[in-house]
Amino acid sequence: MRQELPLRALLPLAVVVLLGCLTEVLPAGLLLGMSADFGVSPSATGQLVTGYALTTALTAIPLTALVSRLPRKPVLLALVLGFAVTNFVIAASPWYSAVFVARIASGAITGVMWSLVAVYAMSIAPPARAGRALAVAMAGTPLGFAVGVPAGTLLGELVGWRWAFVVMGLIAVPLLGWVAAVVPPVPAVPASGTRRGVPGMWPVFVVVAGFSLGHNVLYTYLGPVLAGFGRTGLLGAVLLVFGGAAVGGILAVGAALDRFPRAVLAWCPALTAVGIVLLACSDGSPPVVLAAVALWGLAFGGAPTAFQAVTAVVAGRTADHAQSLTIAAWNGAVAGGAALGGVVLDHAAPALPWTAAALMLVPLLVSPLIPLARRDTALAGT
């Protein structure tokens, strides 16, 4: 008898992920407006991404360990409420310093959210559907790039960047009721069930960190890069194409991950590098720029899901600690990418895409070392 996915419960989890994704990356689409409003440079505004991601990286492991002993559903509701409060604070604050503090708080919330939702989705699904359940829950990430970031950017251009954060706070209010109504409770994990050492995880962390670093060196500063081409007005279209392609990427990964996990891990950084190199060589030509970001977005779309699924395969379906380490590796590299990108932007802006492409060699070369032998069928629950 076929076991069905619990879509009724997975869909609000996907919206929680969407909200977290938007909260994290929205300043990339509002960089120039926020810089002008606060009277700081674009690279300084980019540190709102850096500080957020660094906090996520530093707090994901200890906070996940702390909340793993609590019932999951109340923790999930508290995280959604935290997103609402911090986004409203950002929207209302007249000071850059207060916005930075609110971003730090949001970063801590996000570190727990990524780990919690991944384990939550796989826990409420039938074992044979755990990988696909994770893909559904993580669909909020490419949807955030596809719809949320371009819409937020457009809203910021029309009525001001603050309204984009108001909208995110408003999304969280009905989401609280939705989660409370349809997401089933999941018990806490006993203290003895949390692994502190998982053999074979180090190449996973290197792949995750290398991919995230290369991606964020460039993605955080797409606005200034396009301005360097004289194509500032193309930013909205670029983000929309990137996000639409990312949705296609997660669909492709969802179909291929169970059968070809190693190929997915190789193709994500390889196609990302090709897309970034094409962007660097575009000379600002709109068709070439859009084709480049479409390829980049397609490769990026399924990467977060693939990384968390492979973590589950190597570490076990309930390995909260391993998931938090993956999240820490990803977000530490987000912070590093935003910081490194800001340095390159200030001193050698044309080198930004080439730096990003070169960094993609790290996950491409290390991914074959991930110990997926005799575990490739685990994603399918066999």
Side-chain angles (χ1 to χ4, degrees):
M1 182 176 177
R2 184 176 179 181
Q3 295 176 304
E4 299 295 333
L5 284 176
L7 288 176
R8 185 168 179 265
L10 290 172
L11 290 178
L13 293 181
V15 178
V16 173
V17 172
L18 170 64
L19 184 60
C21 172
L22 288 175
T23 300
E24 181 166 3
V25 304
L26 195 59
L30 303 171
L31 199 67
L32 300 180
M34 295 180 76
S35 297
D37 198 6
F38 288 119
V40 298
S41 68
S43 60
T45 306
Q47 302 316 305
L48 294 175
V49 177
T50 304
Y52 186 109
L54 186 59
T55 302
T56 299
L58 293 175
T59 60
I61 296 170
L63 290 182
T64 298
L66 178 65
V67 303
S68 67
R69 304 184 185 187
L70 303 175
R72 303 295 177 84
K73 189 169 181 177
V75 173
L76 183 62
L77 291 169
L79 297 178
V80 176
L81 179 61
F83 281 131
V85 171
T86 54
N87 281 314
F88 283 138
V89 168
I90 292 170
S93 176
W95 305 293
Y96 175 88
S97 58
V99 170
F100 190 85
V101 170
R103 293 285 294 173
I104 295 297
S106 289
I109 293 168
T110 300
V112 179
M113 183 275 292
W114 289 119
S115 301
L116 179 69
V117 170
V119 176
Y120 215 124
M122 300 183 80
S123 297
I124 64 176
R129 300 276 176 176
R132 295 187 183 184
L134 179 60
V136 172
M138 292 298 112
T141 299
L143 286 175
F145 287 108
V147 179
V149 174
T153 302
L154 179 61
L155 185 63
E157 292 173 350
L158 292 177
V159 296
W161 63 267
R162 295 182 186 276
W163 283 102
F165 287 95
V166 169
V167 169
M168 286 195 294
L170 292 175
I171 289 172
V173 177
L175 181 57
L176 276 169
W178 192 12
V179 170
V182 305
V183 176
V186 174
V189 174
S192 61
T194 302
R195 291 183 182 177
R196 293 299 168 186
V198 183
M201 283 301 299
W202 75 264
V204 177
F205 301 145
V206 173
V207 167
V208 170
F211 185 92
S212 180
L213 184 67
H215 168 78
N216 285 285
V217 159
L218 184 57
Y219 188 82
T220 306
Y221 300 101
L222 267 178
V225 168
L226 292 175
F229 286 137
R231 297 290 184 180
T232 303
L234 201 60
L235 179 60
V238 163
L239 292 173
L240 184 61
V241 169
F242 181 94
V247 172
I250 197 171
L251 293 175
V253 164
L257 189 58
D258 287 342
R259 298 178 61 192
F260 310 109
R262 198 174 295 284
V264 170
L265 290 175
W267 279 105
C268 285
L271 290 180
T272 298
V274 172
I276 290 173
V277 168
L278 184 60
L279 176 64
C281 298
S282 69
D283 198 30
S285 169
V288 180
V289 168
L290 294 178
V293 297
L295 185 60
W296 178 10
L298 182 68
F300 174 82
T305 298
F307 296 152
Q308 288 187 290
V310 168
T311 297
V313 170
V314 176
R317 292 181 73 242
T318 58
D320 295 61
H321 181 63
Q323 291 287 2
S324 68
L325 288 170
T326 297
I327 298 306
W330 176 276
N331 284 280
V334 171
L340 176 59
V343 172
V344 177
L345 178 67
D346 287 341
H347 296 91
L352 262 177
W354 298 106
T355 303
L359 289 168
M360 282 295 160
L361 291 175
V362 173
L364 185 61
L365 294 174
V366 175
S367 62
L369 302 179
I370 295 176
L372 288 175
R374 297 185 299 278
R375 303 189 188 193
D376 290 354
T377 58
L379 289 173
T382 58

